[in-house]
Amino acid sequence: MQAPVADATSEKVPLFDGHVQQGAEEMPVSRLWDRLFALAVAAMVVLVLLRPFYLPVVNGDHYVYLAEHFVRGELSVNDMEGYADVVTFQGNKYLPFGPVPALVLIPFLPLMYLFGTREEVWAGIVLTLFNYYLLARILKQIGVIGERRKWALLLFFGGTVYYSMAVVAAAWHFAHIVGTTCILLAISEALGKKRMLVVGLLVGLAEATRFDLLFALPFFVWVIWHESNQAQNNNGIRRYLSVAAFGRYAALVAGLAIPMILLAAYNYARFGSPIETGYSMAAVASPLLVTAHEYGFYSLVHIPKNLFTLLLQGPMPFPAEDAAVLQPPYIQPSPWGMSIFLTSPAIVYAFRAKWKEPFVRACWLTILTISATLITYYWTGFVQFGYRYALDFMPFLIMIVALGLPKPMTNLSRALILASVLVNIWGAIWLAKWI
């Protein structure tokens, strides 16, 4: 049975048992907060549009090369010279990245040639506008409306690591944007029409963009579980093992299998192995990372460093830790990453979301499963602002944050979101100068 869609007359939120308090959402807002909101959005837009002209990205157009070679029917990128993250195998050069972002770029190539640019940021802007639409729809689907939805959208796109990804949009960052698009599409489909074949296909495309996004599956499995739980005429464990539930699970797996099989064929065509992406052969320039890699590509030994970066790492002194005297601006972001609570302080509202709600628990479980792959990985994401890998679970976290925001919004909640935006604008400028 399909859950009702939240609108002005709905009492129940789809897949969420809390009630939508319409009247409490629409409290009058002072002009000051409206002006500060508009100013934050204006500053974000201006920086995104001006950065390519004043701080162009150097050697970050990996996916442009790959898209061009795909158009020519080639899997190699032999004309790339002097680029990081290029794998040489049997006399050919390949990129270890997932291929989906390059496929996404193919329709943009004619316009890029017309305007004489190889900046992936322009495609990233288009995808970001689409992501805004998707997240706005998702928040409505879970019952977050009015001012809370408006400020939650500002937090995600301006007050998290998403913003620096959108501003810089070099290959590594563009992949995060594409992965976010795939996951938001999958979430919206799961909460809406619930076509599990489509959901599986979208999760598979996300995995073919960034491998760890495969571990977003628990959320979508829970959606099927929840729907089976709500189905009539089923009792006990039988409701979870019904023919209808089995059909949904099978559809999810079938959709997932399509891009995964294609990705395996892509790997086999390049390296002679369906599971070899090229990452195990990629040259690591930093001696520090070489040593970390020796402990294992994925290993429990990497957990303390990743957790420290994700939760505790602060900014660094400027111009250096060993400087005799600090100089303005006195602090600078750590290129290895910074605590998610420093870069996005407003996410503390995630802890206000009701744990008793199965939807909230499903989101937390998915955050944990994605994080498990991130914190065991040998690399923290250098160079970056904040912990950029956190963007892979951020769509699930932002839903919890949005549900935890006060109804009506308070001055403190708005101030924390604006503080998050200011921090990430600072970080985006710093990262653009570094790249």
Side-chain angles (χ1 to χ4, degrees):
M1 181 178 70
Q2 182 167 330
V5 177
D7 56 27
T9 60
S10 298
E11 290 188 356
K12 287 289 185 180
V13 181
L15 302 180
F16 183 72
D17 295 331
H19 290 275
V20 181
Q21 301 176 6
Q22 299 286 343
E25 293 276 358
E26 303 298 341
M27 298 291 288
V29 182
S30 72
R31 290 184 178 180
L32 173 62
W33 289 114
D34 280 340
R35 289 170 180 169
L36 290 174
F37 184 96
L39 182 61
V41 172
M44 289 163 49
V45 171
V46 168
L47 180 55
V48 169
L49 295 178
L50 291 185
R51 196 281 304 159
F53 300 102
Y54 292 95
L55 293 167
V57 171
V58 178
N59 290 354
D61 54 346
H62 297 62
Y63 284 119
V64 178
Y65 276 99
L66 189 56
E68 291 170 335
H69 284 267
F70 280 169
V71 170
R72 297 199 292 265
E74 301 170 354
L75 304 182
S76 59
V77 285
N78 292 332
D79 54 342
M80 293 188 71
E81 299 289 343
Y83 280 72
D85 294 315
V86 176
V87 178
T88 300
F89 180 75
Q90 294 184 349
N92 290 310
K93 295 178 182 177
Y94 300 100
L95 292 179
F97 309 144
V100 171
L103 296 174
V104 170
L105 274 179
I106 289 176
F108 292 93
L109 290 179
L111 284 175
M112 295 174 75
Y113 296 153
L114 179 63
F115 291 101
T117 180
R118 299 183 68 83
E119 286 271 7
E120 296 165 4
V121 68
W122 304 113
I125 290 172
V126 174
L127 289 179
T128 294
L129 292 173
F130 185 49
N131 289 344
Y132 179 90
Y133 162 76
L134 290 173
L135 183 56
R137 185 167 69 176
I138 289 167
L139 292 177
K140 185 177 181 181
Q141 287 172 314
I142 65 173
V144 177
I145 59 175
E147 193 190 8
R148 282 202 307 161
R149 181 168 70 155
K150 164 183 159 181
W151 285 90
L153 287 166
L154 178 63
L155 174 61
F156 182 82
F157 291 101
T160 70
V161 290
Y162 186 99
Y163 184 65
S164 58
M165 302 297 101
V167 169
V168 177
W172 315 273
H173 316 107
F174 182 68
H176 280 288
I177 295 173
V178 174
T180 300
T181 302
C182 294
I183 289 298
L184 290 177
L185 277 168
I187 295 172
S188 182
E189 178 66 30
L191 298 179
K193 296 182 178 179
K194 301 177 180 63
R195 296 170 295 187
M196 287 301 152
L197 181 68
V198 176
V199 171
L201 178 64
L202 291 167
V203 175
L205 291 174
E207 186 270 341
T209 301
R210 288 187 50 77
F211 169 73
D212 59 288
L213 291 176
L214 174 64
F215 296 89
L217 274 175
F219 177 84
F220 305 104
V221 171
W222 174 82
V223 170
I224 299 174
W225 185 280
H226 178 85
E227 289 299 305
S228 301
N229 187 28
Q230 296 299 311
Q232 297 177 357
N233 302 321
N234 280 314
N235 296 304
I237 193 66
R238 291 177 59 191
R239 64 192 176 196
Y240 304 122
L241 301 177
S242 65
V243 173
F246 179 79
R248 295 188 186 100
Y249 291 128
L252 179 66
V253 172
L256 180 65
I258 296 171
M260 292 190 70
I261 290 172
L262 292 174
L263 180 61
Y266 175 65
N267 291 334
Y268 184 83
R270 296 182 302 160
F271 304 117
S273 170
I275 61 173
E276 177 57 70
T277 63
Y279 272 110
S280 65
M281 298 181 286
V284 180
S286 168
L288 181 62
L289 294 176
V290 170
T291 303
H293 191 278
E294 291 174 353
Y295 284 96
F297 202 65
Y298 288 98
S299 173
L300 298 179
V301 75
H302 301 307
I303 292 177
K305 184 172 184 179
N306 279 294
L307 283 181
F308 178 82
T309 305
L310 173 64
L311 302 176
L312 300 174
Q313 176 68 58
M316 300 172 62
F318 184 84
E321 290 180 309
D322 57 352
V325 177
L326 297 186
Q327 302 172 9
Y330 304 113
I331 60 171
Q332 60 183 337
S334 168
W336 294 98
M338 290 204 312
S339 167
I340 193 173
F341 296 109
L342 292 177
T343 56
S344 302
I347 66 165
V348 294
Y349 284 101
F351 300 105
R352 292 187 75 252
K354 296 178 180 178
W355 176 256
K356 69 178 183 180
E357 299 289 354
F359 179 87
V360 173
R361 295 200 299 271
C363 287
W364 276 120
L365 174 61
T366 306
I367 291 167
L368 290 175
T369 56
I370 294 174
S371 298
T373 66
L374 302 176
I375 64 175
T376 55
Y377 186 52
Y378 84 103
W379 202 329
T380 63
F382 181 95
V383 60
Q384 61 188 333
F385 175 73
Y387 191 75
R388 68 177 173 92
Y389 294 158
L391 187 56
D392 292 338
F393 60 72
M394 196 61 70
F396 301 97
L397 183 58
I398 203 67
M399 289 192 290
I400 305 174
V401 171
L403 291 168
L405 287 174
K407 294 188 293 185
M409 290 284 289
T410 62
N411 289 342
L412 176 60
S413 60
R414 299 186 191 102
L416 281 176
I417 291 173
L418 287 176
S420 301
V421 173
L422 286 174
V423 170
N424 282 275
I425 288 176
W426 169 57
I429 294 171
W430 170 85
L431 183 61
K433 290 181 178 179
W434 183 293
I435 294 292

